[in-house]
Amino acid sequence: MDRRTFIRRGGTLSVPIVATLAGCSDQGSNDNQGSDGGSGNTQDSGEDPSEPPSNESNESNESTSDGNESDDQGNLTVDMVTNGEDYYFDPIGLHIESGMMITFRNESGSHSSTAYEESNPSAEETRIPDGADTWDSGTLNEEGATFEHIFETTGTYDYFCLPHKSLEMVGRIIVDEPGGPAEEGMPPDGDVPESQMIIDEGSVAYNEFNI
């Protein structure tokens, strides 16, 4: 298996929230004594002001404006969904920067994320950029199981679900800008959003595309 791909079963990788608390130190008042050694008036000026407490937290996951989950580095999640007789990736189109990781999560049913690259099962043609790393999660059967892949090469990537390829379960990811063989029309097994739409929107939900 390629070093850039990882499988997690039973849920996505979660990172605990780290909270850093800056404590406050209290110092009591210093009593000034008179020159004769007796007790003088208590002065408040001997107290050092303490810094106000601060709470800092690093959120492991947050939502983007379009509802997609992302971690603190901007890496995103694509759900693999069975909904009645519909089988789909959501979002179906996604625009990311090179070096980002996408987590494919089996939300329901049994699915795979498999690149259109001729060395992969059932991929009759290559539709990822030249020199790009291919991927194939294999079929994930457990709800919540995940597969991760890092996209490092600029261009357009088309991919499909092995069990539902004939039912048009396909998706498209653009890294940085469109390019490569995937720009020569639609995938052979279904439709995906046009690359310019993905660039403009950043993320195209399945229901938005299939109105």
Side-chain angles (χ1 to χ4, degrees):
M1 177 178 294
D2 191 274
R3 67 181 179 84
R4 298 178 178 83
T5 58
F6 313 90
I7 295 180
R8 304 281 191 276
R9 297 201 177 272
T12 54
L13 180 67
S14 62
V15 180
I17 297 176
V18 178
T20 302
L21 298 177
C24 298
S25 60
D26 293 331
Q27 297 181 356
S29 300
N30 293 326
D31 292 337
N32 295 330
Q33 296 190 353
S35 59
D36 59 357
S39 296
N41 293 330
T42 301
Q43 301 293 328
D44 292 336
S45 59
E47 181 178 355
D48 294 333
S50 60
E51 295 182 359
S54 62
N55 294 323
E56 297 178 357
S57 62
N58 293 325
E59 299 290 342
S60 60
N61 290 292
E62 58 186 18
S63 295
T64 60
S65 59
D66 52 19
N68 297 319
E69 291 184 8
S70 66
D71 63 17
D72 54 3
Q73 295 180 345
N75 302 313
L76 297 174
T77 298
V78 173
D79 284 330
M80 301 182 288
V81 182
T82 296
N83 184 10
E85 296 182 354
D86 294 330
Y87 308 91
Y88 55 89
F89 296 102
D90 196 23
I92 190 173
L94 197 56
H95 181 210
I96 64 173
E97 295 179 356
S98 55
M100 290 177 62
M101 181 177 70
I102 291 181
T103 298
F104 297 92
R105 178 174 58 197
N106 187 32
E107 194 271 345
S108 52
S110 296
H111 303 286
S112 83
S113 172
T114 305
Y116 274 101
E117 207 280 337
E118 292 181 56
S119 64
N120 282 335
S122 300
E124 296 86 2
E125 60 184 76
T126 295
R127 298 183 62 81
I128 66 174
D130 293 339
D133 293 316
T134 188
W135 75 94
D136 176 24
S137 68
T139 301
L140 305 180
N141 297 304
E142 296 180 20
E143 182 177 328
T146 61
F147 172 83
E148 297 167 347
H149 183 74
I150 297 173
F151 293 78
E152 295 184 332
T153 303
T154 295
T156 305
Y157 297 71
D158 286 343
Y159 62 100
F160 61 93
C161 170
L162 274 168
H164 304 111
K165 180 170 175 278
S166 62
L167 297 174
E168 300 186 356
M169 185 171 173
V170 295
R172 173 168 285 186
I173 295 166
I174 296 176
V175 178
D176 295 330
E177 60 186 33
E183 288 300 312
E184 299 175 4
M186 290 288 110
D189 304 292
D191 291 335
V192 294
E194 294 283 352
S195 294
Q196 190 58 53
M197 179 181 183
I198 297 174
I199 294 292
D200 292 342
E201 298 293 332
S203 175
V204 181
Y206 176 80
N207 289 335
E208 178 184 346
F209 178 62
N210 290 271
I211 298 175

